[in-house]
Amino acid sequence: MNQMTPPPKIEIIPASAPFSEAQRSWLNGFFAGLLSSDGPAPLSAEQGAAVLHGPSGDGDDGEAPWHDQTLPIAERMKLADGRPLRRRMMAAMAQQDCGQCGYNCNDYSDAIVSKAEARLNLCVPGGKETARMLKALNEELEKAPAASADASVTPAVPAAPITAEPGRSRDNPVAATFVSRRLLNKPGSEKETWHIDFDLGGCGLDYVVGDSFGIFARNELGLVDEIIAILGASHTTEVNGKTLRAVLTDDVSLAPAPDSLFELISFITGGAQREKARALAQGEDPDGDAATLDVMAALQKFSGVRPHPEAFVEALEPLQPRLYSISSSHNATPGNLSLTVDCVRYVVGKRKRLGLASTFLAERIKPGDSVKVYVQKAHGFALPQDPKTPIIMIGPGTGIAPFRAFLLDRKATGAPGKNWLFFGHQRSSCDFFYSDELNGLKTSGLLTRLSLAWSRDGDKKFYVQDRMREVGRELWTWLAEGAHLYICGDAKRMAKDVERALVDIVAQFGARTTDEAVSFIGELKKKGRFQQDVY
Ligand SMILES: Cc1cc2nc3c(=O)[nH]c(=O)nc-3n(C[C@H](O)[C@H](O)[C@H](O)COP(=O)(O)OP(=O)(O)OC[C@H]3O[C@@H](n4cnc5c(N)ncnc54)[C@H](O)[C@@H]3O)c2cc1C
Ligand SMILES: NC(=O)c1ccc[n+]([C@@H]2O[C@H](COP(=O)([O-])OP(=O)(O)OC[C@H]3O[C@@H](n4cnc5c(N)ncnc54)[C@H](OP(=O)(O)O)[C@@H]3O)[C@@H](O)[C@H]2O)c1
């Protein structure tokens, strides 16, 4: 049995105070953060919402049981049933708080309800399902009499406020220069992950570690030209004062075919084709292929139909930027910015499909080219304010990106805190990103511990959380000493599984029941001691 005394639970707001349990717990965390030696804890989305709305002016209890990126949308909507519109709108979003829309999930929904934001298609991970649900909920909002609309909602504060300052939000990008790319995998790997370098000298942008970089990529010309050919148009056909080729390359998404494209097709065709297009526009799947229909596949499916280029472009979604965790430190290499990008390529039928931004960075852009970019400030993902605080970083695959940045930053600033990195990937021989650099940091003493997990080296899968369980006692000791915990990488499975392992470790080595361990982890989150950057 472990003899270590658990850290005291901080109770600043007495149980008799007129708050719900959730409000009391949040206030305890908030004031504990203010009083801690590390200064105020960063606010989570929920905490931010509580600040915005006060004790729920619309009678909502402020809880968000749907705020779990692993739940399917139907389940999230069920959990939000009967709640105010702003809460149901939040439940429609992908719950990753990834910042791609320029907000977190809570603030994006508040911005729509308060009419500060008119765009309903900004949730990239939520895709068409989220856009459709938001459209339906927005119709409810439009129908609601003004007085009954969510009066409690103050206009939301975007995660990156829409500001005039260039390069600080998706609405005001600047030009950065692409410098170089280098493949991080060695021969034999099943992955294609690139180290990418940008020069920020021309645009003068800076950043802090933990921030992400927004990239406006351009569509592949081969795909653009095939679409122009299917439309029976010419490259030089003019649309909105630009050539059709330029519009299709720079301005619109050619990936999932939007409902509005099927609507357009249904208007200009007839019979069974029209019925099929109409069904697809309503989110039905008459032929079982809806999920595979990008813009080109949609045009091929309705091959006799040739929309007018102007109507066609109008029916498409605007091209969305993609975010990447910054893997360099401005303090270490001012003016330079690095990314660690896994390339998305897959095949549907006979056609190769390309992830837009990852393949743009991996093969289309040339050294010296300009790219439209912005820095997305991290909210609640940062090094501890006290440089002496130990940190534990868990980042398999591209999840290593912000942790490379953390380590380089701590080295550049001479931060004395201990650093422990858990990295994992498929094979030690070919997927150990930045191995020379990490081994060097270990030798120099900056990287106190490096724990590795190779999932495909042995007969059985072995993941970072398996390694964590092996060293659970030491991990608990670091936590008891006040270490901050970070997870970065896959949101769908890895982050949840790692959190489950952490709960088990806290229960076993911190001598707690599972419920107590879950609350312990919850408290760490509230205090800003457990932060995630997952996608
Ligand atoms: C905050 C944040 C940080 C991020 N940091 C990083 C990072 O450091 N490194 C990194 O590599 N990525 C990172 N990402 C992910 C990144 O933003 C992009 O989502 C990713 O690069 C894919 O974008 P893309 O434009 O290349 O692909 P897209 O054009 O967006 O295509 C991806 C889509 O293709 C489909 N798809 C993919 N594979 C298949 C398949 N096998 N079969 C069928 N369909 C498939 C899926 O619908 C998927 O959503 C981050 C995301 C966020 C939100
Ligand atoms: N939006 C996009 O299209 C896009 C683009 C890039 C990345 N991503 C997502 O981002 C994630 C990161 O990709 P990546 O290239 O960095 O690497 P990754 O695919 O996440 O793989 C990194 C390591 O994590 C392992 N892993 C798989 N499941 C795990 C789990 N449940 N718990 C812990 N480890 C697990 C993998 O093992 P095995 O593979 O051997 O199981 C591998 O060793 C991917 O999961 C991917 O879904 C999405």
Side-chain angles (χ1 to χ4, degrees):
M1 175 107 153
N2 191 289
Q3 297 301 312
M4 206 164 288
T5 325
K9 198 173 162 200
I10 299 162
E11 295 290 357
I12 294 163
I13 307 297
S16 56
F19 295 111
S20 72
E21 189 47 42
Q23 287 165 334
R24 203 164 68 81
S25 148
W26 178 78
L27 286 166
N28 275 325
F30 180 68
F31 286 117
L34 283 180
L35 297 174
S36 84
S37 57
D38 245 1
L43 299 188
S44 69
E46 282 309 291
Q47 292 163 348
V51 167
L52 270 178
H53 305 298
S56 52
D58 53 7
D60 191 71
D61 64 7
E63 296 288 322
W66 55 81
H67 197 50
D68 175 344
Q69 68 264 15
T70 62
L71 295 178
I73 190 166
E75 213 166 305
R76 300 200 304 270
M77 296 316 296
K78 219 151 98 200
L79 288 167
D81 197 26
R83 306 288 285 272
L85 194 56
R86 67 183 176 89
R87 307 301 281 158
R88 283 181 284 138
M89 281 208 174
M90 179 192 172
M93 288 157 195
Q95 312 304 313
Q96 288 187 16
D97 283 339
C98 64
Q100 289 180 93
C101 58
Y103 308 83
N104 57 40
C105 303
N106 185 79
D107 290 345
Y108 181 27
S109 57
D110 279 4
I112 295 171
V113 172
S114 68
K115 310 242 163 122
E117 177 60 79
R119 295 168 292 181
L120 302 176
N121 54 1
L122 298 182
C123 180
V124 176
K128 281 168 73 167
E129 279 185 331
T130 293
R132 261 184 217 128
M133 184 60 73
L134 287 180
K135 199 169 153 209
L137 292 168
N138 199 52
E139 277 163 19
E140 212 179 296
L141 177 69
E142 296 298 326
K143 277 188 216 136
S148 75
D150 264 311
S152 65
V153 178
T154 353
V157 185
I162 296 168
T163 146
E165 198 184 340
R168 300 288 166 190
S169 90
R170 53 178 282 154
D171 296 304
N172 197 0
V174 293
T177 308
F178 174 73
V179 176
S180 62
R181 65 174 76 85
R182 168 168 63 91
L183 190 60
L184 290 168
N185 312 90
K186 297 201 178 100
S189 177
E190 291 176 37
K191 297 290 267 191
E192 180 192 338
T193 309
W194 295 88
H195 177 82
I196 305 282
D197 277 314
F198 280 97
D199 178 2
L200 302 180
C203 60
L205 271 183
D206 60 6
Y207 58 91
V208 292
V209 292
D211 290 349
S212 304
F213 201 46
I215 304 265
F216 283 87
R218 293 191 284 275
N219 283 308
E220 196 229 352
L221 263 189
L223 177 64
V224 167
D225 286 350
E226 279 187 70
I227 288 175
I228 292 174
I230 294 179
L231 292 175
S234 134
H235 297 166
T236 52
T237 304
E238 230 185 74
V239 177
N240 306 333
K242 288 167 84 170
T243 65
L244 178 59
R245 196 186 209 192
V247 172
L248 294 183
T249 307
D250 299 336
D251 298 344
V252 291
S253 166
L254 300 179
D259 294 348
S260 42
L261 178 61
F262 294 118
E263 246 163 54
L264 171 65
I265 292 172
S266 79
F267 293 148
I268 55 176
T269 185
Q273 295 275 75
R274 182 189 184 85
E275 284 314 308
K276 206 169 265 187
R278 209 180 258 163
L280 283 161
Q282 283 162 6
E284 292 161 27
D285 193 1
D287 297 332
D289 60 353
T292 67
L293 297 174
D294 65 354
V295 168
M296 167 109 141
L299 289 175
Q300 286 170 329
K301 186 175 175 76
F302 296 93
S303 57
V305 182
R306 285 189 177 183
H308 187 280
E310 237 170 65
F312 173 68
V313 163
E314 221 166 82
L316 300 183
E317 295 281 337
L319 202 61
Q320 304 268 8
R322 303 290 191 272
L323 284 180
Y324 292 93
S325 311
I326 296 173
S327 58
S328 54
S329 153
H330 185 73
N331 286 323
T333 45
N336 164 261
L337 183 145
S338 309
L339 306 175
T340 307
V341 177
D342 181 54
C343 205
V344 175
R345 299 174 197 274
Y346 55 100
V347 176
V348 178
K350 287 192 183 127
R351 185 151 64 84
K352 284 187 190 155
R353 305 277 178 102
L354 304 178
L356 166 77
S358 57
T359 60
F360 173 71
L361 293 168
E363 64 190 17
R364 293 201 287 287
I365 191 164
K366 308 261 179 313
D369 283 357
S370 278
V371 192
K372 280 198 295 175
V373 302
Y374 61 98
V375 169
Q376 171 84 52
K377 197 119 226 59
H379 285 254
F381 193 79
L383 277 170
Q385 281 179 10
D386 182 348
K388 294 194 290 302
T389 305
I391 58 174
I392 302 168
M393 301 162 280
I394 302 148
T398 51
I400 195 171
F403 303 140
R404 176 180 188 260
F406 280 13
L407 291 168
L408 295 176
D409 201 76
R410 280 197 143 185
K411 183 179 174 205
T413 57
K418 292 194 291 180
N419 304 297
W420 188 349
L421 174 67
F422 286 85
F423 173 70
H425 215 324
Q426 295 181 355
R427 293 179 182 86
S428 54
S429 57
C430 50
D431 300 312
F432 189 175
F433 303 159
Y434 306 112
S435 55
D436 291 348
E437 209 174 275
L438 292 173
N439 284 323
L441 289 171
K442 191 150 176 274
T443 308
S444 75
L446 185 109
L447 183 52
T448 321
R449 291 192 71 156
L450 175 60
S451 298
L452 302 166
W454 306 109
S455 55
R456 302 189 191 185
D457 268 4
D459 299 336
K460 259 183 66 196
K461 292 271 175 163
F462 188 84
Y463 290 149
V464 279
Q465 60 270 29
D466 299 314
R467 186 68 74 209
M468 287 162 62
R469 288 178 199 277
E470 281 184 0
V471 291
R473 185 180 296 280
E474 292 96 313
L475 219 152
W476 165 252
T477 307
W478 278 52
L479 279 182
E481 284 170 2
H484 285 206
L485 260 174
Y486 300 89
I487 301 180
C488 179
D490 174 46
K492 290 275 176 248
R493 293 154 300 140
M494 183 277 294
K496 260 289 206 248
D497 293 349
V498 166
E499 188 167 335
R500 210 162 289 136
L502 280 167
V503 166
D504 293 345
I505 288 166
V506 169
Q508 185 179 352
F509 298 103
R512 284 164 164 79
T513 63
T514 302
D515 282 352
E516 286 165 349
V518 168
S519 331
F520 180 89
I521 296 289
E523 283 296 312
L524 289 185
K525 285 184 185 169
K526 282 183 188 144
K527 291 179 196 153
R529 276 187 55 196
F530 180 8
Q531 306 184 350
Q532 305 196 34
D533 174 22
V534 295
Y535 41 88

